[in-house]
Amino acid sequence: MQASSKATAAAPPVASKDDRKLEYRNAMARLGAAVNIVTSDGPGGLAGFAATAVCSVTDDPPTLLVCLNRGSSAYPAVSANQVLCVNTLSHSHEDLSRLFGGKTPVKERFEGASWSVLETGAPALDDALISLDCRVKTISDGGTHDILICEVVAIRENEGGQALIYFDRRYHRI
Ligand SMILES: Cc1cc2nc3c(=O)[nH]c(=O)nc-3n(C[C@H](O)[C@H](O)[C@H](O)COP(=O)(O)O)c2cc1C
Protein backbone atom coordinates (compact mmCIF):
# COMPACT_ATOMS: atom_id res chain seq x y z
CA MET A 1 0.00 0.00 0.00
CA GLN A 2 1.31 3.44 -0.89
CA ALA A 3 1.78 6.14 1.71
CA SER A 4 -1.01 8.64 1.53
CA SER A 5 -0.32 11.68 -0.57
CA LYS A 6 0.04 15.03 1.14
CA ALA A 7 -2.07 16.67 -1.57
CA THR A 8 -5.57 17.31 -0.35
CA ALA A 9 -8.60 17.06 -2.61
CA ALA A 10 -10.14 20.37 -3.58
CA ALA A 11 -12.93 21.23 -1.15
CA PRO A 12 -16.37 20.96 -2.73
CA PRO A 13 -17.89 24.35 -3.48
CA VAL A 14 -19.91 25.61 -0.55
CA ALA A 15 -23.54 25.99 -1.51
CA SER A 16 -25.04 29.32 -0.50
CA LYS A 17 -28.30 29.49 1.43
CA ASP A 18 -30.04 30.62 -1.78
CA ASP A 19 -28.57 27.68 -3.75
CA ARG A 20 -29.83 25.21 -1.14
CA LYS A 21 -33.25 26.86 -1.13
CA LEU A 22 -33.49 26.62 -4.93
CA GLU A 23 -32.32 23.01 -4.92
CA TYR A 24 -34.99 22.19 -2.33
CA ARG A 25 -37.73 24.03 -4.25
CA ASN A 26 -36.79 22.17 -7.44
CA ALA A 27 -36.91 18.87 -5.55
CA MET A 28 -40.31 19.70 -4.06
CA ALA A 29 -41.62 20.50 -7.56
CA ARG A 30 -41.18 16.76 -8.27
CA LEU A 31 -43.41 15.84 -5.33
CA GLY A 32 -46.87 15.55 -6.90
CA ALA A 33 -49.68 16.64 -4.58
CA ALA A 34 -53.44 17.08 -4.56
CA VAL A 35 -54.60 20.68 -4.83
CA ASN A 36 -56.95 22.05 -2.17
CA ILE A 37 -58.61 25.34 -1.40
CA VAL A 38 -58.42 26.05 2.31
CA THR A 39 -61.08 28.48 3.52
CA SER A 40 -61.94 30.14 6.81
CA ASP A 41 -64.59 32.50 8.16
CA GLY A 42 -65.45 33.97 11.54
CA PRO A 43 -64.51 36.98 13.69
CA GLY A 44 -61.23 37.36 11.77
CA GLY A 45 -63.06 37.58 8.44
CA LEU A 46 -63.27 35.54 5.24
CA ALA A 47 -60.13 33.93 3.81
CA GLY A 48 -59.15 31.32 1.22
CA PHE A 49 -55.98 30.11 -0.45
CA ALA A 50 -54.77 27.29 -2.69
CA ALA A 51 -52.76 24.71 -0.75
CA THR A 52 -50.85 21.52 -1.47
CA ALA A 53 -49.25 21.31 1.99
CA VAL A 54 -52.15 19.31 3.45
CA CYS A 55 -51.61 15.89 4.99
CA SER A 56 -53.50 13.35 7.08
CA VAL A 57 -52.13 12.91 10.62
CA THR A 58 -54.38 10.27 12.22
CA ASP A 59 -57.92 8.87 12.08
CA ASP A 60 -58.31 8.80 15.89
CA PRO A 61 -59.55 11.45 16.23
CA PRO A 62 -59.73 12.43 12.55
CA THR A 63 -56.88 14.90 12.24
CA LEU A 64 -55.02 16.58 9.39
CA LEU A 65 -52.35 19.24 9.10
CA VAL A 66 -52.15 22.34 6.93
CA CYS A 67 -49.03 24.50 6.43
CA LEU A 68 -49.91 28.19 6.18
CA ASN A 69 -47.50 30.91 5.08
CA ARG A 70 -47.32 33.59 7.78
CA GLY A 71 -46.94 36.24 5.10
CA SER A 72 -50.11 35.29 3.22
CA SER A 73 -53.28 37.39 3.13
CA ALA A 74 -55.18 34.49 4.74
CA TYR A 75 -52.93 34.25 7.77
CA PRO A 76 -54.54 36.87 10.08
CA ALA A 77 -58.08 35.57 9.43
CA VAL A 78 -57.25 31.86 9.84
CA SER A 79 -55.29 32.59 13.04
CA ALA A 80 -58.19 34.53 14.52
CA ASN A 81 -60.98 32.20 13.38
CA GLN A 82 -59.33 28.94 14.51
CA VAL A 83 -61.49 27.05 11.99
CA LEU A 84 -60.87 26.06 8.38
CA CYS A 85 -62.29 23.87 5.63
CA VAL A 86 -60.02 21.86 3.31
CA ASN A 87 -61.71 21.54 -0.10
CA THR A 88 -59.96 19.01 -2.34
CA LEU A 89 -60.25 20.06 -5.98
CA SER A 90 -61.34 18.00 -8.95
CA HIS A 91 -59.91 18.12 -12.48
CA SER A 92 -62.46 20.81 -13.40
CA HIS A 93 -61.11 23.31 -10.82
CA GLU A 94 -57.86 24.43 -12.41
CA ASP A 95 -59.09 28.01 -12.95
CA LEU A 96 -60.38 28.16 -9.37
CA SER A 97 -56.99 27.04 -8.10
CA ARG A 98 -55.31 29.84 -10.06
CA LEU A 99 -57.80 32.31 -8.58
CA PHE A 100 -57.07 31.21 -4.99
CA GLY A 101 -53.35 30.80 -5.62
CA GLY A 102 -52.81 34.29 -6.99
CA LYS A 103 -53.19 37.84 -5.74
CA THR A 104 -56.91 38.29 -6.46
CA PRO A 105 -58.83 40.12 -3.68
CA VAL A 106 -60.53 37.67 -1.33
CA LYS A 107 -64.14 38.60 -2.22
CA GLU A 108 -63.51 37.99 -5.94
CA ARG A 109 -61.93 34.61 -5.21
CA PHE A 110 -65.17 33.37 -3.63
CA GLU A 111 -67.31 34.76 -6.47
CA GLY A 112 -65.71 32.16 -8.74
CA ALA A 113 -67.68 29.20 -7.30
CA SER A 114 -70.65 28.08 -5.23
CA TRP A 115 -70.24 27.59 -1.46
CA SER A 116 -72.16 26.38 1.59
CA VAL A 117 -71.25 25.77 5.22
CA LEU A 118 -71.00 22.50 7.14
CA GLU A 119 -70.33 22.86 10.88
CA THR A 120 -67.70 25.49 11.60
CA GLY A 121 -68.88 28.25 9.25
CA ALA A 122 -65.83 27.96 6.97
CA PRO A 123 -66.96 27.89 3.31
CA ALA A 124 -67.28 24.40 1.79
CA LEU A 125 -66.95 24.27 -2.01
CA ASP A 126 -70.15 22.68 -3.32
CA ASP A 127 -68.50 20.57 -6.04
CA ALA A 128 -65.24 19.72 -4.26
CA LEU A 129 -64.16 16.07 -4.33
CA ILE A 130 -64.21 16.25 -0.53
CA SER A 131 -64.66 19.01 2.03
CA LEU A 132 -63.08 18.49 5.43
CA ASP A 133 -64.40 20.97 7.97
CA CYS A 134 -61.95 21.47 10.83
CA ARG A 135 -61.23 23.15 14.15
CA VAL A 136 -57.60 24.15 14.67
CA LYS A 137 -56.25 22.30 17.72
CA THR A 138 -52.58 23.25 17.89
CA ILE A 139 -50.18 25.44 15.94
CA SER A 140 -46.48 24.64 15.56
CA ASP A 141 -43.69 26.88 14.35
CA GLY A 142 -42.51 25.89 10.87
CA GLY A 143 -40.29 28.90 10.23
CA THR A 144 -41.93 30.90 7.42
CA HIS A 145 -45.06 28.75 7.86
CA ASP A 146 -47.35 27.76 10.73
CA ILE A 147 -48.23 24.06 10.92
CA LEU A 148 -51.90 23.86 11.86
CA ILE A 149 -53.00 20.58 13.42
CA CYS A 150 -56.74 20.39 12.83
CA GLU A 151 -59.50 18.10 14.06
CA VAL A 152 -61.98 17.19 11.33
CA VAL A 153 -65.54 17.77 12.61
CA ALA A 154 -67.54 17.25 9.39
CA ILE A 155 -66.91 15.65 6.00
CA ARG A 156 -68.80 16.04 2.71
CA GLU A 157 -67.99 13.89 -0.32
CA ASN A 158 -69.04 14.19 -3.95
CA GLU A 159 -69.04 10.96 -5.91
CA GLY A 160 -67.05 10.70 -9.13
CA GLY A 161 -64.72 13.33 -10.50
CA GLN A 162 -60.99 13.12 -11.12
CA ALA A 163 -58.23 14.60 -9.00
CA LEU A 164 -56.29 17.78 -9.75
CA ILE A 165 -52.58 17.22 -9.09
CA TYR A 166 -49.80 19.82 -9.02
CA PHE A 167 -46.55 18.31 -10.35
CA ASP A 168 -43.53 19.85 -12.11
CA ARG A 169 -45.08 23.33 -11.60
CA ARG A 170 -48.07 22.34 -13.75
CA TYR A 171 -51.58 21.04 -13.20
CA HIS A 172 -52.40 17.44 -14.12
CA ARG A 173 -55.60 15.40 -14.06
CA ILE A 174 -55.77 11.83 -12.85
C1 LIG B 1 -50.49 24.95 -6.33
C2 LIG B 1 -50.32 25.90 -5.15
C3 LIG B 1 -50.11 25.37 -3.89
C4 LIG B 1 -49.96 26.19 -2.78
N1 LIG B 1 -49.80 25.65 -1.54
C5 LIG B 1 -49.73 26.45 -0.44
C6 LIG B 1 -49.68 25.88 0.87
O1 LIG B 1 -49.71 24.67 1.06
N2 LIG B 1 -49.63 26.75 1.92
C7 LIG B 1 -49.61 28.12 1.76
O2 LIG B 1 -49.56 28.84 2.76
N3 LIG B 1 -49.67 28.66 0.52
C8 LIG B 1 -49.74 27.87 -0.56
N4 LIG B 1 -49.83 28.42 -1.82
C9 LIG B 1 -49.80 29.85 -1.96
C10 LIG B 1 -51.13 30.50 -1.59
O3 LIG B 1 -52.19 29.98 -2.34
C11 LIG B 1 -50.90 32.00 -1.82
O4 LIG B 1 -50.19 32.47 -0.71
C12 LIG B 1 -52.08 32.86 -1.93
O5 LIG B 1 -53.17 32.38 -2.55
C13 LIG B 1 -51.69 34.15 -2.67
O6 LIG B 1 -51.13 34.96 -1.78
P1 LIG B 1 -52.04 36.02 -0.93
O7 LIG B 1 -53.27 35.32 -0.46
O8 LIG B 1 -51.11 36.39 0.18
O9 LIG B 1 -52.37 37.16 -1.85
C14 LIG B 1 -49.99 27.60 -2.94
C15 LIG B 1 -50.20 28.14 -4.23
C16 LIG B 1 -50.37 27.30 -5.32
C17 LIG B 1 -50.63 27.89 -6.68
Side-chain angles (χ1 to χ4, degrees):
M1 185 181 286
Q2 284 190 329
S4 62
S5 159
K6 282 188 177 171
T8 52
V14 180
S16 72
K17 195 177 166 199
D18 282 349
D19 288 342
R20 290 200 305 134
K21 199 166 142 184
L22 185 64
E23 184 185 26
Y24 177 75
R25 290 175 75 119
N26 288 338
M28 286 301 101
R30 307 287 295 168
L31 186 77
V35 186
N36 309 276
I37 290 176
V38 176
T39 65
S40 186
D41 203 3
L46 181 65
F49 61 102
T52 49
V54 172
C55 175
S56 174
V57 176
T58 175
D59 63 359
D60 188 19
T63 303
L64 56 78
L65 70 77
V66 175
C67 298
L68 171 58
N69 193 325
R70 289 188 185 147
S72 74
S73 67
Y75 182 75
V78 176
S79 305
N81 296 337
Q82 296 287 298
V83 297
L84 57 82
C85 187
V86 173
N87 298 280
T88 304
L89 300 185
S90 81
H91 67 283
S92 63
H93 288 133
E94 190 174 325
D95 288 347
L96 198 62
S97 176
R98 291 184 199 285
L99 197 60
F100 278 79
K103 293 290 172 191
T104 309
V106 67
K107 194 167 165 285
E108 285 174 43
R109 294 183 194 188
F110 282 91
E111 285 167 0
S114 172
W115 308 87
S116 48
V117 291
L118 300 178
E119 200 160 313
T120 69
L125 177 64
D126 284 338
D127 58 351
L129 287 183
I130 44 169
S131 295
L132 300 145
D133 200 21
C134 303
R135 294 192 192 285
V136 179
K137 288 293 165 187
T138 55
I139 301 176
S140 299
D141 180 357
T144 55
H145 286 58
D146 271 2
I147 304 159
L148 311 176
I149 308 289
C150 307
E151 184 171 346
V152 180
V153 295
I155 297 176
R156 185 172 70 193
E157 286 186 54
N158 281 311
E159 294 293 322
Q162 291 183 307
L164 185 66
I165 301 294
Y166 201 65
F167 173 72
D168 244 355
R169 300 186 171 94
R170 285 186 293 117
Y171 290 96
H172 303 263
R173 300 163 175 209
I174 62 162

